[in-house]
């Protein structure tokens, strides 16, 4: 009952808001309405140019501001003429002032106001018609018919209110169940989610609640799972997002980015083109793919950076007498928290719940998707299958990994000079040449 009441309240709010807005506008004076129409028409809104034309047709006079300007001009010029005639009774105003006096006096006449209003009505009506305003074209051709506009207005309000009511009812239908589930799921995840960016942090409650159930009900959800399962695993996001959640994230941002754009445009009063909305919707759909691609690259880099220390530690622990699982646990305990220790923790949990060591290592290689890790896991699986001691193998692997890392660092250092060449050519060298030759050129120009 409470949910229905809340939905009904939303419906009544929308309905009454529309009525109040209409009443509020109707209560404005004719001159206030004219100012609103004129301001919007000046900004290129053809519908309001047409309304301005109708105002002139209906009132058959100048607007108050313009009439006041003419009155002010008339009074000031009369006062000026009076001052001149104090010294010389036959004195007259200058030609321009005399002309302005006549124009002001004539324009304030009733017949002249009607003529000006009719002329402006025709001009504004034709301008609105050329600008694509259908009502103005119909008015020009004598076809305009406003009967039923009130009925259409209130019918549209009723339909909008009904749509809001149905949407609100759907939204709040399972709200209690969802909130209970969220409390269970996200008790320990809030800090972890916050690490992955502000967009995921603030959009997750929305797409998780309203888009994920829709995606879960899709027929091709099995294909979505296959498509995004490894991607999420490689990015280390399996505890935060399911494949369905990730696709829901993409769908949500199709609406999310344009909504944020419209809100910013409204509050900043910017003149950004609305043609950007489809572009932002497209960006919203592909943004999660770019974001998760960056996450995967960063995670793989962290794994490679952590490998020498972790594999050394693993080799020392095994040679000290610990078995493989206990050695991994010791590495997790002693090393700083990083992507590789998180993967070691996952391997230990898989082994504890019944997976073989070989399967856990294969899953490890599948998740990380790196040649170095695949080679590391393949070596350990091969040694485990023949019953060989993994201590010496881990030691040789640690030496090999350190050598590879040193080689990669040397390679990166060797390519640094090439990479900095283009910034130097286009940024640094022109600046140096400018500093050196600018004084010489200026001196030569001064000498000439």
């Amino acid at each position: 009952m409470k949910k229905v009441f809340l939905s009904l309240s939303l419906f009544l709010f929308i309905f009454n808001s529309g009525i109040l807005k209409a009443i509020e506008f109707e209560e404005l004076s004719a001159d206030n309405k004219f100012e609103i129409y004129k301001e919007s028409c000046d900004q290129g809104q053809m519908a309001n140019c047409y309304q301005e034309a109708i105002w002139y047709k209906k009132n058959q006079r100048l607007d108050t501001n313009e009439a006041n300007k003419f009155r002010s001009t008339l009074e000031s010029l009369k006062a000026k003429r009076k001052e001149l005639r104090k010294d010389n009774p036959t004195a007259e105003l200058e030609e321009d002032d005399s002309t302005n006096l006549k124009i002001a006096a004539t324009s304030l006449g009733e017949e002249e106001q009607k003529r000006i209003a009719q002329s402006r009505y025709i001009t504004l009506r034709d301008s609105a018609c050329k600008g694509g305003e259908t009502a103005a074209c119909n008015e020009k051709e004598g076809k305009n018919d406003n009967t039923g506009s009130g009925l259409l207005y209130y019918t549209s309000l009723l339909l909008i209110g009904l749509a809001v009511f149905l949407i609100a009812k759907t939204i709040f239908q399972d709200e209690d169940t969802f909130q209970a589930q969220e409390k269970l799921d996200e008790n320990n995840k809030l800090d972890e989610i916050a690490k992955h960016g502000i967009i995921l942090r603030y959009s997750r409650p929305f797409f998780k609640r309203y888009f994920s159930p829709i995606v879960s009900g899709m027929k091709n959800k099995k294909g979505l799972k296959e498509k995004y399962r490894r991607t999420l695993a490689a990015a280390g996001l399996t505890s935060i997002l399911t494949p369905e959640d990730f696709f829901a994230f993409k769908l949500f941002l199709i609406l999310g980015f344009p909504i944020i754009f419209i809100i910013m445009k409204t509050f900043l009063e910017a003149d950004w083109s609305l043609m950007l909305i489809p572009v932002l919707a497209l960006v919203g759909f592909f943004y999660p793919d770019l974001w998760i691609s960056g996450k995967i690259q960063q995670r793989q880099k962290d794994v490679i950076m952590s490998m020498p220390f972790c594999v050394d530690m693993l080799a020392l622990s095994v040679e000290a007498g610990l078995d493989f699982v206990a050695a991994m646990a010791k590495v997790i305990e002693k090393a700083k928290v990083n992507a590789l220790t998180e993967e070691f923790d996952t391997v230990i949990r898989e082994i504890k719940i019944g997976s073989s060591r070989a399967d856990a290592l294969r899953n490890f290689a599948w998740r990380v998707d790196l040649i170095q890790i695949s080679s590391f896991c393949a070596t350990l699986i091969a040694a485990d299958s023949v019953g060989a001691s993994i201590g010496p193998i881990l030691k040789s692997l640690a030496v090999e990994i350190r050598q590879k890392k040193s080689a990669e660092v040397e390679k990166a250092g060797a390519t640094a000079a090439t990479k900095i060449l283009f910034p130097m050519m286009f940024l640094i060298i022109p600046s140096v040449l400018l500093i050196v030759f600018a004084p010489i050129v200026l001196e030569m120009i001064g000498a000439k």
Side-chain angles (χ1 to χ4, degrees):
M1 192 66 187
K2 183 175 74 174
K3 298 169 188 174
V4 175
F5 175 74
L6 183 56
S7 304
L8 186 60
S9 299
L10 282 170
F11 160 69
L12 292 173
F13 174 75
I14 296 294
F15 185 74
N16 288 329
S17 294
I19 294 174
L20 288 172
K21 289 281 184 185
I23 292 171
E24 183 183 353
F25 185 75
E26 286 299 325
E27 286 180 349
L28 292 173
S29 67
D31 292 310
N32 287 337
K33 289 180 183 177
F34 176 84
E35 291 301 321
I36 294 171
Y37 296 146
K38 189 175 188 308
E39 184 180 352
S40 300
C41 179
D42 292 342
Q43 293 174 359
Q45 296 182 15
M46 291 297 110
N48 283 310
C49 290
Y50 172 62
Q51 290 298 330
E52 188 180 348
I54 294 297
W55 187 93
Y56 277 117
K57 179 184 177 183
K58 182 179 177 182
N59 292 280
Q60 291 292 301
R61 63 178 175 84
L62 299 175
D63 70 280
T64 304
N65 287 341
E66 190 172 7
N68 287 338
K69 286 179 182 177
F70 280 125
R71 288 192 188 96
S72 177
T73 302
L74 186 63
E75 289 171 3
S76 64
L77 290 174
K78 281 183 177 180
K80 185 176 181 181
R81 187 173 63 182
K82 188 176 179 181
E83 285 291 324
L84 289 172
R85 287 181 175 178
K86 281 182 181 180
D87 299 328
N88 183 3
T90 60
E92 288 295 336
L93 295 168
E94 293 179 3
E95 186 178 350
D96 289 344
D97 287 343
S98 182
T99 304
N100 289 336
L101 180 64
K102 288 177 183 178
I103 291 171
T106 306
S107 298
L108 290 172
E110 185 176 346
E111 291 302 319
E112 183 64 15
Q113 287 199 45
K114 286 181 180 179
R115 188 192 67 78
I116 294 172
Q118 182 64 21
S119 173
R120 289 184 182 176
Y121 157 69
I122 293 169
T123 304
L124 288 165
R125 181 199 64 190
D126 293 349
S127 175
C129 180
K130 287 179 182 177
E133 181 59 30
T134 308
C137 295
N138 291 338
E139 177 83 14
K140 184 178 180 180
E141 296 169 7
K143 298 178 182 178
N144 209 15
D145 183 13
N146 291 324
T147 58
S149 59
L151 177 63
L152 181 63
Y153 173 73
Y154 288 109
T155 303
S156 63
L157 278 179
L158 180 65
L159 291 174
I160 291 169
L162 182 62
V164 171
F165 172 75
L166 293 173
I167 292 169
K169 186 178 178 184
T170 304
I171 287 172
F172 294 110
Q173 192 171 8
D174 303 318
E175 192 65 29
D176 294 338
T177 306
F178 174 75
Q179 286 181 357
Q181 185 180 353
E182 281 292 291
K183 285 180 182 178
L184 290 172
D185 290 346
E186 303 212 359
N187 225 4
N188 300 316
K189 289 182 184 176
L190 292 176
D191 293 337
E192 188 177 352
I193 293 169
K195 295 176 184 176
H196 297 289
I198 191 170
I199 295 177
L200 179 65
R201 179 179 182 181
Y202 290 106
S203 62
R204 187 176 183 275
F206 295 100
F207 71 73
K208 183 82 172 173
R209 172 66 183 92
Y210 304 118
F211 286 77
S212 292
I214 297 172
V215 175
S216 298
M218 291 169 62
K219 291 183 179 179
N220 64 334
K221 68 175 183 179
K222 187 176 181 181
L224 289 176
K225 284 184 178 180
E226 293 299 322
K227 184 177 181 180
Y228 295 119
R229 196 160 62 95
R230 187 172 189 180
T231 303
L232 291 169
L237 297 172
T238 49
S239 62
I240 296 173
L241 296 173
T242 63
E244 292 89 347
D245 290 340
F246 183 73
F247 192 70
F249 185 29
K250 289 165 69 73
L251 295 179
F252 172 76
L253 290 185
I254 293 176
L255 298 176
F257 279 9
I259 288 171
I260 292 171
F261 169 77
I262 291 169
I263 291 170
M264 290 179 67
K265 182 179 185 297
T266 303
F267 279 97
L268 297 175
E269 297 181 354
D271 57 348
W272 300 334
S273 173
L274 293 177
M275 295 297 291
L276 290 172
I277 288 177
V279 177
L280 288 171
L282 194 66
V283 171
F285 183 75
F286 289 106
Y287 167 78
D289 294 317
L290 299 173
W291 168 74
I292 205 166
S293 176
K295 285 283 180 186
I296 291 170
Q297 290 177 7
Q298 184 59 46
R299 188 174 177 83
Q300 289 177 342
K301 185 178 178 182
D302 291 345
V303 167
I304 291 171
M305 293 295 290
S306 305
M307 273 192 77
F309 174 79
C310 289
V311 175
D312 266 342
M313 192 76 180
L314 200 61
L316 288 171
S317 300
V318 170
E319 287 184 340
L322 296 177
D323 65 356
F324 183 70
V325 176
M328 274 193 170
K330 181 62 70 176
V331 172
I332 294 168
E333 180 186 341
K334 298 295 182 183
K336 291 180 180 179
V337 177
N338 54 60
L340 188 57
T341 58
E342 289 174 2
E343 291 297 339
F344 281 176
D345 185 54
T346 304
V347 170
I348 291 171
R349 282 191 276 110
E350 287 183 359
I351 292 171
K352 284 183 178 178
I353 62 174
S355 294
S356 65
R357 187 188 299 177
D359 288 340
L361 288 171
R362 286 192 192 96
N363 291 337
F364 174 31
W366 176 83
R367 286 192 303 272
V368 178
D369 194 21
L370 274 173
I371 295 173
Q372 294 91 328
I373 295 296
S374 298
S375 175
F376 171 74
C377 292
T379 304
L380 291 179
I381 290 168
D384 189 47
S385 63
V386 297
S389 174
I390 62 172
I393 294 171
L394 286 170
K395 197 171 182 181
S396 63
L397 279 173
V399 173
E400 183 182 347
I401 289 168
R402 284 196 179 278
Q403 288 174 348
K404 283 183 178 179
K405 186 177 178 182
S406 299
E408 287 175 2
V409 170
E410 289 175 2
K411 182 180 177 182
T415 57
T418 307
K419 289 178 180 178
I420 204 173
L421 179 64
F422 292 103
M424 281 186 64
M425 287 176 62
F426 294 108
L427 299 174
I428 299 172
I429 293 176
S431 302
V432 172
L433 292 175
L434 184 65
I435 293 169
V436 171
F437 290 106
I440 300 171
V441 172
L442 290 173
E443 189 175 344
M444 289 172 65
I445 292 171
K448 288 181 182 180

